[in-house]
Amino acid sequence: MTFLARLRRLVQRTVIGALVVGFLVVGGTAFRVWQVAREDDRTHADMAVVLGAAQYNGVPSDVLAARLEHARRLYEQGVVNYIATTGGRQPGDNYTEGEAGKMWLESRGVPGTRILEVGEGADTLGSIRALAGLARAKSLKTAVIVSDPWHSLRARTMAEDQGLDAWTSPTRSGPNVQTRETQFFYIRRETGALLYYHLMKAPVDAFDGILL
C-alpha cells in the first residue's frame, strides 16, 4: 500500500470517527433533554423558580401564565417556601417579566412576602445568575425549576453551575407543549442551545429567532 493510500485511509477513518462521535454527542444530548423533560420532582425545595417568558403590559403570555400556575400549585401543596419570578424587560416594556409574574401570583392569593421578584436578565443564564445572587443573600440553597419540559435540563444545568441544588417540575400545559411538531422543534432547539452552553458557558443570543 502506497503512502498516499495509507494517508487517504487515515483521513477517511478520522472523518468517519468524528461523525460517529458527533452523532453520539448530539443524540445523547437530545435524549437527555427528552428524558429530563419527563421528570417531575416534587421534593421539597426552598423556592420554585419560574423562568420568564413574554408579558404584555403586565399581563403574562399564555406560556408564562402556565408556568406561574404550576408554581402556584407547588406553593399551595407545600412543595416550596417561596416562588421566584424571573426575567427582565424588552425595549419599550413598562414591566419586567418578573414584575408581571409577581402581580399575577399576588392576584391569585400568593402572599407578596413569599414571592422573590428577580426582574433582571435578557436570557435564561442572565436571569439565573441574578437569582443566584439573591438566593445567596437569603441563604436559599435549593430550587425546583419551573419552565416548559424541553427547557428544563438547560435551566437546571445553569442553576447548578451557579451553586444551587436544583431539580425540575415542568409545566404540562401551555402552547409550547401541545403538539408533537412543537415538541420536536423545542427538543431540537434545546439540544443545540445546551451543547453551545456546555462549550461556551454562555447563552445563544438567538436560536431560531428566539432569545435563549
Side-chain angles (χ1 to χ4, degrees), residues 88-159:
R89 73 179 81 217
Q90 299 298 319
D93 284 352
N94 294 318
Y95 299 91
T96 67
E97 294 167 2
E99 288 172 330
K102 181 178 181 180
M103 291 188 296
W104 190 96
L105 290 169
E106 286 183 317
S107 71
R108 285 157 177 80
V110 180
T113 56
R114 291 293 169 176
I115 303 171
L116 307 175
E117 177 199 329
V118 186
E120 301 177 43
D123 50 56
T124 301
L125 183 58
S127 294
I128 288 180
R129 281 175 172 165
L131 168 71
L134 178 63
R136 284 190 292 269
K138 292 184 172 293
S139 298
L140 303 175
K141 299 179 180 180
T142 56
V144 56
I145 305 297
V146 177
S147 188
D148 300 328
W150 328 110
H151 189 211
S152 294
L153 177 57
R154 183 164 58 93
R156 187 188 74 183
T157 301
M158 290 177 173

Side-chain angles (χ1 to χ4, degrees), residues 4-197:
L4 287 178
R6 289 196 298 270
L7 179 62
R8 187 180 302 112
R9 177 172 292 184
L10 176 62
V11 170
Q12 289 174 341
R13 289 177 176 176
T14 300
V15 171
I16 292 172
L19 290 173
V20 170
V21 170
F23 175 80
L24 291 174
V25 169
V26 173
T29 302
F31 175 76
R32 284 293 293 151
V33 169
W34 173 84
Q35 187 179 48
V36 173
R38 296 168 63 85
E39 296 177 1
D40 186 1
D41 193 334
R42 302 296 179 99
T43 303
H44 184 269
D46 292 330
M47 57 185 168
V49 179
V50 180
L51 274 300
Q55 59 82 31
Y56 306 103
N57 200 31
V59 179
S61 62
D62 291 344
V63 172
L64 182 54
R67 298 176 185 180
L68 291 164
E69 174 60 20
H70 188 78
R72 184 185 69 82
R73 291 177 181 173
L74 293 178
Y75 172 77
E76 289 186 345
Q77 293 166 5
V79 177
V80 297
N81 299 327
Y82 295 91
I83 300 176
T85 59
T86 69
R89 73 179 81 217
Q90 299 298 319
D93 284 352
N94 294 318
Y95 299 91
T96 67
E97 294 167 2
E99 288 172 330
K102 181 178 181 180
M103 291 188 296
W104 190 96
L105 290 169
E106 286 183 317
S107 71
R108 285 157 177 80
V110 180
T113 56
R114 291 293 169 176
I115 303 171
L116 307 175
E117 177 199 329
V118 186
E120 301 177 43
D123 50 56
T124 301
L125 183 58
S127 294
I128 288 180
R129 281 175 172 165
L131 168 71
L134 178 63
R136 284 190 292 269
K138 292 184 172 293
S139 298
L140 303 175
K141 299 179 180 180
T142 56
V144 56
I145 305 297
V146 177
S147 188
D148 300 328
W150 328 110
H151 189 211
S152 294
L153 177 57
R154 183 164 58 93
R156 187 188 74 183
T157 301
M158 290 177 173
E160 290 173 341
D161 286 351
Q162 294 301 312
L164 292 169
D165 186 7
W167 46 94
T168 61
S169 179
T171 178
R172 302 295 176 187
S173 61
N176 287 353
V177 293
Q178 295 302 316
T179 66
R180 289 189 179 276
E181 290 77 12
T182 300
Q183 293 172 17
F184 177 77
F185 168 80
Y186 280 103
I187 290 174
R188 178 176 62 86
R189 187 188 80 151
E190 284 297 324
T191 297
L194 181 58
L195 288 170
Y196 184 88
Y197 173 74

